[in-house]
Amino acid sequence: MEQKPTSNIIQATEPRKEIQLSPPQVKGGMPLMEALGERRSKRSFSGSGISDQQLSDLLWAANGINSHAAFRGQPGLRTAPTARNHQEIELYVFIPSGIYLYDAFNNKLVLVREGDHRASAGEQGFFAEAPLSLCIAAHFKKMEAYTEEKKQFYSAVDAGYVSQNIYLYCASEGLCTVACGRIDREVLHNLLLLDQGKAILSHPVGIE
Ligand SMILES: Cc1cc2nc3c(=O)[nH]c(=O)nc-3n(C[C@H](O)[C@H](O)[C@H](O)COP(=O)(O)O)c2cc1C
């Protein structure tokens, strides 16, 4: 696989309030059946980065906007489905300069917390080595009509689609990732400033 230039966004150590991402490349890539054939959990990371374009494409593949048609109270639709189109799943990006929320509608990263918190994205040692990690979290405010049991159930199911999208994008680009449920949800709850919300899974992403 051709080596891509290392991402300026990932390498930067100074936090920025907002980081505009390049438009995602939504054509091409590995054929779906081949990506499914390649999908695997991989847990070793060399520490080298991925390109800015790959970062944008990864986030779009994971939970980006693939239609601007308004539907059920939302201004667009995403690459991952959600029960009743609640779109309660959000992605938090852990990179050396800080933790950012992926604003899918505006294709940008919004600073949530300054500093390198990559080692806290999950409980296994490889989180400190991966150039970036994604935390998949649910915002329960968007599911107010649901009982607590339904919030827990549907948000976990919805997070699974995003997780598989991350796996397939990584497979198609020769990147390493693993879905991790072994995370400290209390620590993440505080780090991500989640009010009525829950961290569900984290994915370190990088190159072997
Ligand atoms: C919901 C979920 C939670 C997981 N949590 C962890 C985890 O905390 N740590 C880890 O190393 N792997 C974790 N895994 C990865 C599984 O161990 C892995 O998917 C399984 O061994 C099958 O391997 P494969 O993904 O390469 O097919 C998790 C997978 C899923 C679907």
Side-chain angles (χ1 to χ4, degrees):
M1 180 99 22
E2 172 205 348
Q3 194 73 30
K4 302 261 174 47
T6 300
S7 161
N8 294 323
I9 296 172
I10 295 171
Q11 279 191 322
T13 49
E14 281 303 305
R16 277 155 60 189
K17 270 193 167 168
E18 291 190 350
I19 301 172
Q20 190 64 51
L21 297 164
S22 51
Q25 278 176 358
V26 300
K27 299 267 183 239
M30 185 183 275
L32 176 63
M33 298 305 263
E34 286 175 37
L36 285 164
E38 292 291 324
R39 189 211 63 80
R40 196 86 291 136
S41 292
K42 293 183 181 162
R43 300 175 179 81
S44 74
F45 301 92
S46 71
S48 46
I50 64 174
S51 71
D52 283 345
Q53 187 63 53
Q54 283 179 311
L55 176 61
S56 171
D57 296 351
L58 166 68
L59 292 167
W60 183 83
N63 199 26
I65 306 301
N66 66 2
S67 165
H68 287 279
F71 183 68
R72 282 198 167 174
Q74 307 286 356
L77 291 161
R78 293 179 184 247
T79 56
T82 51
R84 280 200 197 168
N85 195 30
H86 279 132
Q87 299 193 19
E88 80 283 4
I89 299 297
E90 298 289 356
L91 282 172
Y92 291 85
V93 183
F94 288 63
I95 50 180
S97 64
I99 304 173
Y100 296 82
L101 176 66
Y102 173 48
D103 174 350
F105 282 100
N106 295 300
N107 195 39
K108 65 185 180 189
L109 300 178
V110 179
L111 186 66
V112 173
R113 193 176 283 279
E114 294 182 8
D116 189 354
H117 299 279
R118 285 175 295 163
S120 302
E123 294 193 316
Q124 287 159 282
F126 48 71
F127 277 94
E129 286 147 28
L132 81 134
S133 285
L134 302 178
C135 180
I136 305 172
H139 285 196
F140 291 145
K141 268 189 187 158
K142 295 187 178 168
M143 305 175 106
E144 266 170 351
Y146 274 171
T147 60
E148 189 56 31
E149 192 246 334
K150 280 188 173 174
K151 283 177 190 162
Q152 298 289 336
F153 174 76
Y154 284 109
S155 65
V157 172
D158 294 343
Y161 295 108
V162 174
S163 174
Q164 179 73 344
N165 283 350
I166 295 169
Y167 266 122
L168 290 177
Y169 177 78
C170 287
S172 78
E173 288 291 300
L175 299 174
C176 304
T177 196
V178 55
C180 289
R182 204 181 123 192
I183 58 178
D184 190 329
R185 293 192 173 77
E186 211 173 299
V187 165
L188 287 167
H189 192 273
N190 295 330
L191 271 180
L192 305 181
L193 310 177
L194 291 172
D195 175 17
Q196 293 171 45
K198 181 182 180 182
I200 299 176
L201 289 173
S202 286
H203 272 260
V205 178
I207 295 163
E208 199 158 14

